[in-house]
């Protein structure tokens, strides 16, 4: 069974750093693109960026370029999303998603989400 | 960036009724459009891909149609578990984008 299991909720202060994780299982982790999707409170879905764990090829949506860093450790089948300096506007639910097959694709599996709260 | 517009924002219907949701793209996305369902407190799930193909395990009451810039998700007869928010998403152009969602709630 394909699963994406994300790390737990985080409460941080503005200016702090953060790295959240997404562990894949039940499939060949290195053969599928993994993306991240943001959902701000009460709002819609925004695609942030993507990584191919097989070779660490990483791409970002223009809206998120320079704002976050996506990485992966294929030895432990885990992808990461990190911030170097959080802002209150980063408060959101973050989902990792598996792309079905291609760089531009649909998302056939979703993690359970990681809620990030940034507040002073 | 391709902008997706969904209408209506909210659709109030009763169980057993037919639901028709619309998604319009700012430029042609061919048939590269998907629909997702999101229930409160849950991650979205893929319902329809490439405009008209049901994803694995999705009931036949869900159907999708359209191409180019205009797409429709139809739920033939609403079940209690279908009341949720529905998003469309395109994979035609970088970056892939979502529509703002349509909430289907109980009348």
């Amino acid at each position: 069974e394909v699963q994406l299991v994300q790390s737990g909720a985080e409460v941080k202060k503005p200016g702090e750093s953060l790295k959240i994780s997404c562990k894949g299982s039940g499939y060949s982790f290195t053969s599928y693109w993994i993306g991240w999707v943001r959902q701000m409170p009460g709002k819609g879905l925004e695609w942030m960026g993507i990584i191919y764990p097989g070779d660490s090829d990483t791409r970002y949506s223009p809206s998120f370029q320079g704002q976050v860093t996506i990485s992966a450790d294929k030895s432990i089948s885990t992808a990461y999303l990190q911030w170097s300096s959080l802002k209150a506007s980063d408060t959101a639910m973050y989902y990792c998603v598996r792309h079905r097959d291609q760089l531009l694709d649909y998302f056939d599996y979703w993690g359970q989400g990681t809620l990030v709260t940034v507040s002073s | 960036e391709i902008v997706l517009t969904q209408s209506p924002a909210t659709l109030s219907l009763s169980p057993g009724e037919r639901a028709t949701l619309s998604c319009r793209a700012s430029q042609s996305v061919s048939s590269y459009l998907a629909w997702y369902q999101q229930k409160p407190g849950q991650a979205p799930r893929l319902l329809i891909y490439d405009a008209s193909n049901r994803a694995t395990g999705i009931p036949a009451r869900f159907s999708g149609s359209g191409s180019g810039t205009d797409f429709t998700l139809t739920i033939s007869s609403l079940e209690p578990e279908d009341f949720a928010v529905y998003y469309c998403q395109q994979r035609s152009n970088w970056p892939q984008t979502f529509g703002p969602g349509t909430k289907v709630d109980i009348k």
Side-chain angles (χ1 to χ4, degrees), chain B residues 83-100:
Chain B
F83 292 93
V85 180
Y86 293 84
Y87 295 96
C88 55
Q89 177 237 332
Q90 64 83 19
R91 71 171 184 98
S92 174
N93 281 41
W94 185 271
Q96 40 230 322
T97 51
F98 291 94

Side-chain angles (χ1 to χ4, degrees), chain A residues 40-84:
Chain A
M40 300 177 77
K43 302 298 184 184
L45 306 169
E46 302 170 273
W47 183 82
M48 302 174 69
I50 189 172
I51 188 165
Y52 189 77
D55 61 8
S56 295
D57 185 1
T58 308
R59 318 283 178 93
Y60 296 92
S61 168
S63 299
F64 291 92
Q65 180 82 47
Q67 308 304 307
V68 295
T69 301
I70 294 172
S71 60
D73 184 342
K74 62 184 179 183
S75 70
I76 55 171
S77 300
T78 300
Y80 302 96
L81 177 66
Q82 70 180 86
W83 296 259
S84 58

Side-chain angles (χ1 to χ4, degrees), chain B residues 35-39 43-47 62 81-87:
Chain B
W35 292 91
Y36 298 83
Q37 176 194 65
Q38 186 177 32
K39 297 179 184 179
R45 74 163 170 163
L46 179 65
L47 297 177
F62 291 93
E81 63 267 27
D82 299 336
F83 292 93
V85 180
Y86 293 84
Y87 295 96

Side-chain angles (χ1 to χ4, degrees), chain A:
Chain A
E1 178 195 7
V2 173
Q3 283 193 305
L4 298 173
V5 178
Q6 298 184 229
S7 50
E10 302 273 2
V11 180
K12 291 288 191 179
K13 291 181 167 42
E16 292 186 331
S17 63
L18 176 64
K19 191 174 189 177
I20 62 175
S21 67
C22 168
K23 182 174 177 60
S25 63
Y27 73 100
S28 176
F29 185 75
T30 55
S31 301
Y32 290 82
W33 292 88
I34 290 282
W36 290 91
V37 173
R38 182 175 78 175
Q39 187 167 38
M40 300 177 77
K43 302 298 184 184
L45 306 169
E46 302 170 273
W47 183 82
M48 302 174 69
I50 189 172
I51 188 165
Y52 189 77
D55 61 8
S56 295
D57 185 1
T58 308
R59 318 283 178 93
Y60 296 92
S61 168
S63 299
F64 291 92
Q65 180 82 47
Q67 308 304 307
V68 295
T69 301
I70 294 172
S71 60
D73 184 342
K74 62 184 179 183
S75 70
I76 55 171
S77 300
T78 300
Y80 302 96
L81 177 66
Q82 70 180 86
W83 296 259
S84 58
S85 181
L86 286 159
K87 302 185 283 287
S89 57
D90 293 317
T91 294
M93 182 72 82
Y94 293 88
Y95 295 101
C96 63
V97 295
R98 192 185 81 162
H99 285 223
R100 279 188 325 157
D101 180 44
Q102 301 176 51
L103 174 64
L104 279 172
D105 214 326
Y106 312 118
F107 316 126
D108 57 359
Y109 288 92
W110 294 63
Q112 83 276 20
T114 296
L115 181 62
V116 174
T117 303
V118 183
S119 175
S120 54

